[in-house]
Amino acid sequence: QVQLVESGGELVQAGGSLRLSCAASGLTFSNYAMGWFRQAPGKEREFVAAISGDGSVINYVDSVRGRFTISRENAKKTVYLQMNSLKPEDTAVYSCVAGPTAQYMDRMGAQYWGQGTQVTVSS
């Protein structure tokens, strides 16, 4: 059974930083692209970032490029999202995902999803 468990979400002031973590189990981690989606209240779910199994391909939505960094440690079966210069519009539930491709995860979605962690950015 595949499990993706996120952690690290909390309330932070605008301009601050957070690091989200996602621990995976039940899958051959290095065979999967990993990524993050987010959903704000009343809005559609949005792709945020993805990284290929070997870390060579990374993809970001334009609104976070230059502020967020996705990384992974295959030995620990963990993917991270470092979020800097946070803005109130980054407030959302952030979900960790696993799928076949990082390059097209924004269009293709993902195969496995975590429950999500709440990130709230106050102004």
Side-chain angles (χ1 to χ4, degrees):
Q1 181 181 1
V2 175
Q3 284 192 312
L4 303 175
V5 180
E6 304 95 336
S7 61
E10 62 180 70
L11 173 64
V12 63
Q13 287 192 333
S17 297
L18 281 176
R19 188 175 83 154
L20 304 183
S21 299
C22 171
S25 61
L27 75 170
T28 305
F29 187 72
S30 60
N31 287 353
Y32 284 84
M34 299 298 295
W36 294 90
F37 282 73
R38 67 185 180 185
Q39 187 164 22
K43 295 189 177 182
E44 291 188 356
R45 188 169 58 199
E46 175 187 41
F47 167 81
V48 177
I51 184 168
S52 61
D54 65 359
S56 63
V57 177
I58 291 177
N59 189 16
Y60 295 103
V61 67
D62 287 345
S63 60
V64 308
R65 188 173 288 113
R67 299 189 297 122
F68 291 10
T69 302
I70 189 170
S71 61
R72 64 190 295 159
E73 288 189 77
N74 285 350
K76 295 184 177 180
K77 295 187 177 182
T78 301
V79 62
Y80 306 98
L81 186 67
Q82 177 67 42
M83 305 186 294
N84 299 329
S85 302
L86 282 161
K87 304 175 181 180
E89 51 263 43
D90 294 319
T91 295
V93 174
Y94 284 70
S95 296
C96 173
V97 303
T101 172
Q103 186 173 3
Y104 301 111
M105 188 174 283
D106 54 340
R107 279 163 277 178
M108 295 179 61
Q111 185 173 359
Y112 300 108
W113 294 75
Q115 291 297 313
T117 185
Q118 177 70 49
V119 172
T120 303
V121 184
S122 63
S123 57

